[in-house]
Amino acid sequence: MDAMITAENLTKRYGNRAVVDDVSFTARPGRVTGFLGPNGAGKSTTMRMLTALTTPTAGRGTILGRTFRDLPNPGRHVGVLLDASAQHVGRTGRETLLLSAQLMGTGPHRVDEVLDVVGLTAREASARTRTYSLGMRQRLGLAHALLGEPEVLILDEPANGLDPAGIRWMRNLLRSFADGGGTVLLSSHLLLEVEAVADDLVIIGNGRILARGSTEELLATPGTQVRSTDDGALAGALTGAGHDVVRTGAGLSTSATTEEVGGLALAAAVVLTDLRPAASTGLEELFFDTTAQHGREEISA
């Protein structure tokens, strides 16, 4: 089975209000897909529909080519962390994992393996989860997601409560999982961390897709930065050819491609001393530019 997540026209309405409205995207094997949007955008509802916790009003979500409900022993194929606080507070961390391991048929040895992977000590694993900090709950939730050795991870805000070292550890773990052929769908408000780990991005607002594509493509800025021995002459050649030109402290910024700049410089007998594509925009800038009209901070979805 191809370890792919596919949302096909997913829609969820409550009365006349569409919380998720015709959402379609694909998360592919070997890649981390960042799933972003302001509060109330519909991220959590979409993830809940993909994992059969919420029934779509319309559309379909599949994982490994099947709906979540149709997957045999789904925990062996899909690791899910949507709410780290949803744990039995009377059980220890180890008891929580042992029960799931028994249901999945993984054996108790896997419990020790995932506890080691997520960095929970034997003492911490033996404590009741009611005593856990948020960061420890996140680590236990991720241990549970990894327990069945899945091909797919669906994670909603997995870095909440982690300190900087924990966030870096999380990033490395997800990168390693994807590099091993796994599929990761990651929702997070930590935009710099998403930018550092995500291969693809899906941005939604008011329940609708606003942008999707590879991180490289979405963050790329068209145009060229250039410096020459005669920026004035080069600027004249560029504007004469119909390109936008802005003088910067480091030379010129232009809408022309690097090839077009090179050709015009050659024709104008201007020597180039620096020529490069325009610097990429950051994810934070892309996010706020894309979602500026779609923030609904007062609603949680």
Side-chain angles (χ1 to χ4, degrees), residues 10-14 17-21 35 40-57 82 156 204 207 300-301:
L10 276 176
T11 299
K12 183 62 180 180
R13 293 189 179 91
Y14 293 101
R17 184 167 70 96
V19 176
V20 176
D21 189 2
F35 190 38
K43 303 184 302 296
S44 295
T45 301
T46 299
M47 297 174 102
R48 288 178 63 84
M49 286 192 286
L50 288 170
T51 54
L53 294 172
T54 296
T55 303
T57 304
L82 300 186
D156 192 4
I204 68 172
S300 177

Side-chain angles (χ1 to χ4, degrees), residues 9 12 14 23 56 66 81 93 101 109 132 139 143 145 151 156 176 186 194 198-199 220 234 242 270 284 291:
N9 310 110
K12 183 62 180 180
Y14 293 101
V23 164
R66 305 184 184 186
L81 174 55
H109 68 281
Y132 280 19
R139 289 176 184 267
E151 302 119 279
D156 192 4
S176 176
L186 168 68
V194 174
D199 303 291
L234 181 58
V270 174
E284 185 174 275
T291 64

